[in-house]
Amino acid sequence: MSMAASGGEALHVRLSALLDGQAAAEERQDLEARLQEDPHAQRVHEHLARGSSRGREVFNDLLKEPVPLDLVREIKTAPQPRKAVRLPSERRFPFPLKPTARQAGTACLLLFVLGGGLGYMLGQPSAATAHPPVADTRGDWLNDIVAHYRVFSRPTDRLAELPATDSAAIVEWLLANTGVNFRIPDLSGNGLTFQGARLFVAGGTPVGHLVYTSAEGEVIGLLFRKNHPDDDGFSELIRDSIALMSWKSPTTTYIVVGPSSAASLDEIAAKAAGLI
């Protein structure tokens, strides 16, 4: 390995330690002074910082992924595990793990090199990141639906803007504002009572909302809006203990929304899809 390559790797390790807050005071002062004068060190520092930031963004995005409704139900209904029986094992004589100072130093150096290399690769511009990111409109409008449901589903004497007794006015009102032609499904066979209708905006698009309640007092919503060209399809999602089930026609997206604890949401969605 050439001296230049070794120097480059050593610089990566030192700058990685600086970014992680692991550099000693004297080392930090030396690196900060070098960053003021050395353009190469500045470029390496920027790549490492960009890579660390991108790594945190990727990890945060993974934490935001919704949990599938089927998995939640399997966890809730899973039987209790049987108690394990501990069998006797051969007696082993414990020995303490006491690495030497040289071994500990080598391990730290390896960790710094690996961390710096990963940060450098993540910080490199690629074809996927060379263009501005496209807004996730699907996530925006689903977040709006969840926020709206969380507010209006609280116990109140005014669940709907138009009452169920004026069904003709509901159809005319929502058709005029959403452009979706529909019928009000009778879901009494599923234990639901129609309460009326609401209208709100999700992702910049008007959404029609038919409001139902169950015998247990749960609020179930049947929502619809015009399809968007960039909409991603989904069938079941859970957001903050709120379950969403969706299906599409050639022109319209429909969603049944309710608490994730409601076990019959899939049956309600199937019945509504055949009636609306």
Side-chain angles (χ1 to χ4, degrees):
M1 178 183 295
S2 66
M3 294 296 294
S6 300
E9 291 182 2
L11 178 60
H12 278 79
V13 173
R14 295 173 67 197
L15 289 176
S16 295
L18 177 65
L19 286 171
D20 294 337
Q22 301 296 323
E26 183 177 349
E27 175 75 0
R28 184 172 64 253
Q29 293 176 359
D30 179 64
L31 288 172
E32 289 174 350
R34 181 169 180 178
L35 286 172
Q36 296 292 330
E37 303 173 355
D38 187 349
H40 173 67
Q42 294 171 5
R43 288 194 299 271
V44 173
H45 184 266
E46 291 174 0
H47 283 313
L48 292 174
R50 228 174 11 247
S52 297
S53 175
R54 178 56 182 161
R56 286 193 297 270
E57 291 175 3
V58 171
F59 181 73
N60 290 334
D61 289 342
L62 290 175
L63 294 179
K64 295 177 183 177
E65 287 294 323
V67 180
L69 182 58
D70 288 341
L71 178 58
V72 174
R73 289 178 179 166
E74 288 179 6
I75 293 173
K76 289 183 177 179
T77 59
Q80 293 293 328
R82 293 179 297 176
K83 293 184 177 179
V85 178
R86 185 178 295 277
L87 299 177
S89 58
E90 296 182 6
R91 184 179 178 184
R92 297 182 179 181
F93 297 95
F95 60 91
L97 178 61
K98 295 181 179 179
T100 65
R102 181 177 181 181
Q103 291 172 332
T106 302
C108 290
L109 181 60
L110 282 173
L111 288 175
F112 281 137
V113 171
L114 289 174
L118 179 60
Y120 181 80
M121 288 187 292
L122 288 174
Q124 292 294 327
S126 63
T129 59
H131 303 285
V134 179
D136 183 5
T137 55
R138 168 193 152 180
D140 290 343
W141 82 282
L142 292 181
N143 289 339
D144 290 344
I145 286 177
V146 171
H148 177 77
Y149 177 83
R150 187 183 298 112
V151 172
F152 90 84
S153 62
R154 295 171 182 170
T156 177
D157 57 354
R158 190 179 176 85
L159 285 175
E161 296 176 79
L162 284 183
T165 53
D166 202 353
S167 58
I170 288 175
V171 172
E172 181 180 356
W173 176 48
L174 294 184
L175 173 60
N177 284 278
T178 65
V180 176
N181 192 10
F182 68 97
R183 293 175 294 180
I184 299 174
D186 179 5
L187 300 177
S188 57
N190 297 85
L192 299 182
T193 302
F194 181 53
Q195 300 292 344
R198 306 178 67 87
L199 178 70
F200 66 100
V201 175
T205 301
V207 177
H209 184 177
L210 304 180
V211 184
Y212 297 82
T213 54
S214 68
E216 293 77 20
E218 296 172 327
V219 178
I220 307 296
L222 174 55
L223 290 69
F224 50 84
R225 76 163 191 172
K226 282 288 190 181
N227 285 338
H228 281 204
D230 55 350
D231 278 350
D232 291 333
F234 73 96
S235 56
E236 297 181 4
L237 288 177
I238 287 183
R239 296 281 182 90
D240 301 329
S241 300
I242 297 173
L244 302 97
M245 295 194 173
S246 172
W247 70 95
K248 281 187 176 186
S249 73
T251 60
T252 308
T253 297
Y254 302 91
I255 294 179
V256 168
V257 58
S260 60
S261 57
S264 60
L265 279 182
D266 50 351
E267 297 175 7
I268 293 170
K271 181 72 172 293
L275 296 176
I276 196 168

